[in-house]
Amino acid sequence: MSYLGWDMRKMTPSPFSEARHMRFRPLIVLVLASVATAAPAAAAVLPGPTQAVGARSAPVTQPLASADQASGHKRHHHFVPKPTPSAVPTPTAAPTDTPMPTPVLTATPTPTPATTPSATSNPMPPPPGYKNLIFDDQFSSTSLDSAKWNTYLASNASKGWPWNGNGDGGSGGAPNGNDAAYFEPSQVSVKNGLNLTATRVSSQPGYEWTSGVVSTYGKFEFEGGYVQIDARMPNGDGMWPGLWMLPGPGGTSGDNFEIDQFEGSFLDGGANALEEYAWHLHTPGGTGGGGTNVNVDLSADYHVYGLNWVPGQSITWYLDGRQVGQVTSAEYPIPDEPMELILSLYVASSLASGWHQAYDALTPSPSVMAVAEVQVYQ
């Protein structure tokens, strides 16, 4: 189906729960009295899927969680035209009996420099119908707010322990799996927003990349409301950005639900993977959701990724205020328990190549997912 001109395509669920500054040098026009004719000056010219989601292996915790307890895989431009330079004026010849005038300095106004993509609005305005802001981080400091975020992945199933923890703050999925990156705190930074950085460096056996994740487990959880995240996605093949939720400490039965607010770079019918918005709900009764080609490169600029969760009733996904998809209780069970927030940058290995872009030799390293703000309203 289509919504607001976007091509909506259902995806088959997984069996798993997963200024340039143009320097116009001032032109000095010098009229020579002794020259009967003058040659014209030259004008200066500046160059100018058949399977929608991939199974993530169960998190191994410290201490190790049982297989049924730890099921939490990730079931988961600004175009600035170049200003046109002004041509250098052609000097005219001066009569021989006219005194030579004082050189005239002619300056050309400096054009507006090119800009880099910036946040949509900071802070973001509240979504329609919501006023009670219960969580907000604009990442305006120089370091991560440890009262709000962990730099590792944990969940209800892992009882708060880092997934596959290395004892030094690291976490991640199973080695040699769909996820080629291991999460390390060193890959999380705050500078003009939150940056999760993936680099082609192995910090643990079985992982070719090292990347970053933040989660609110044990620090913030919520049951229903509107989540909006202002972010710019990475553009390298294999980059797997995710905005998602798992049950927090107040959850009722391990990682029985997973809400994928957004996952990037999925493959769907030949569409540009950078324009693909994957949205899913994983439940004990199956997986709902799909993939939408939003016809905009999500790595070129910041966009607001919204999700309206009505416990027990429905979940609706939005991009820049426009609806992308919806799942209701008539289709699948809707979570009615507290959830944590997770922001991650996975890297997809060749094992995921049937439904997701996989990294290759041309994938940029480093690649960054940038987040300007996270809000939750109730």
Side-chain angles (χ1 to χ4, degrees), residues 245-272:
M245 304 163 210
L246 285 173
T252 59
S253 183
D255 296 345
N256 54 336
F257 286 97
E258 175 181 324
I259 303 174
D260 294 331
Q261 182 168 350
F262 167 80
E263 291 183 274
S265 295
F266 273 58
L267 301 175
D268 187 14
N272 183 343

Side-chain angles (χ1 to χ4, degrees), residues 51-261:
Q51 182 175 339
V53 292
R56 290 196 185 284
S57 301
V60 179
T61 64
Q62 287 181 288
L64 295 180
S66 63
D68 60 338
Q69 178 188 46
S71 61
H73 73 301
K74 177 82 166 60
R75 306 169 272 200
H76 37 332
H77 269 280
H78 264 261
F79 172 70
V80 179
K82 295 181 179 179
T84 303
S86 302
V88 178
T90 303
T92 57
T96 55
D97 58 349
T98 303
M100 183 175 64
T102 302
V104 178
L105 193 64
T106 304
T108 304
T110 302
T112 302
T115 59
T116 56
S118 59
T120 305
S121 175
N122 201 348
M124 293 179 286
Y130 286 90
K131 294 182 179 179
N132 184 24
L133 180 64
I134 63 171
F135 183 91
D136 184 30
D137 199 339
Q138 300 177 29
F139 304 104
S140 56
S141 183
T142 58
S143 61
L144 191 69
D145 188 343
S146 61
K148 297 178 179 178
W149 303 99
N150 307 302
T151 53
Y152 56 84
L153 181 57
S155 65
N156 186 282
S158 73
K159 304 303 181 185
W161 289 92
W163 288 12
N164 290 313
N166 62 358
D168 195 28
S171 61
N176 302 308
N178 292 329
D179 314 320
Y182 191 78
F183 297 132
E184 295 281 9
S186 60
Q187 306 306 107
V188 179
S189 63
V190 176
K191 183 179 181 181
N192 299 321
L194 171 68
N195 300 290
L196 303 180
T197 304
T199 56
R200 196 191 300 259
V201 174
S202 176
S203 67
Q204 294 290 318
Y207 307 88
E208 297 299 320
W209 290 70
T210 303
S211 191
V213 63
V214 293
S215 70
T216 65
Y217 190 90
K219 300 175 185 290
F220 171 76
E221 60 181 8
F222 67 107
E223 186 174 340
Y226 195 104
V227 183
Q228 55 183 10
I229 301 174
D230 189 8
R232 187 183 74 230
M233 300 305 161
N235 66 357
D237 284 359
M239 291 300 108
W240 189 350
L243 314 173
W244 49 303
M245 304 163 210
L246 285 173
T252 59
S253 183
D255 296 345
N256 54 336
F257 286 97
E258 175 181 324
I259 303 174
D260 294 331
Q261 182 168 350

Side-chain angles (χ1 to χ4, degrees), residues 183-363:
F183 297 132
E184 295 281 9
S186 60
Q187 306 306 107
V188 179
S189 63
V190 176
K191 183 179 181 181
N192 299 321
L194 171 68
N195 300 290
L196 303 180
T197 304
T199 56
R200 196 191 300 259
V201 174
S202 176
S203 67
Q204 294 290 318
Y207 307 88
E208 297 299 320
W209 290 70
T210 303
S211 191
V213 63
V214 293
S215 70
T216 65
Y217 190 90
K219 300 175 185 290
F220 171 76
E221 60 181 8
F222 67 107
E223 186 174 340
Y226 195 104
V227 183
Q228 55 183 10
I229 301 174
D230 189 8
R232 187 183 74 230
M233 300 305 161
N235 66 357
D237 284 359
M239 291 300 108
W240 189 350
L243 314 173
W244 49 303
M245 304 163 210
L246 285 173
T252 59
S253 183
D255 296 345
N256 54 336
F257 286 97
E258 175 181 324
I259 303 174
D260 294 331
Q261 182 168 350
F262 167 80
E263 291 183 274
S265 295
F266 273 58
L267 301 175
D268 187 14
N272 183 343
L274 296 177
E275 300 178 355
E276 192 70 12
Y277 189 128
W279 47 281
H280 294 98
L281 168 65
H282 304 273
T283 81
T287 298
T292 301
N293 181 0
V294 295
N295 296 312
V296 59
D297 183 347
L298 297 174
S299 72
D301 209 343
Y302 285 81
H303 295 274
V304 176
Y305 300 80
L307 182 139
N308 189 19
W309 167 26
V310 182
Q313 298 183 38
S314 65
I315 299 176
T316 309
W317 288 258
Y318 298 88
L319 178 67
D320 297 329
R322 302 197 300 175
Q323 184 175 323
V324 173
Q326 184 179 66
V327 174
T328 71
S329 58
E331 302 168 284
Y332 294 95
I334 304 300
D336 192 4
E337 59 183 285
M339 307 282 274
E340 64 166 322
L341 289 172
I342 304 170
L343 315 179
S344 61
L345 180 55
Y346 279 95
V347 180
S349 74
S350 59
L351 294 179
S353 60
W355 43 273
H356 193 286
Q357 277 189 329
Y359 80 87
D360 56 28
L362 300 179
T363 301

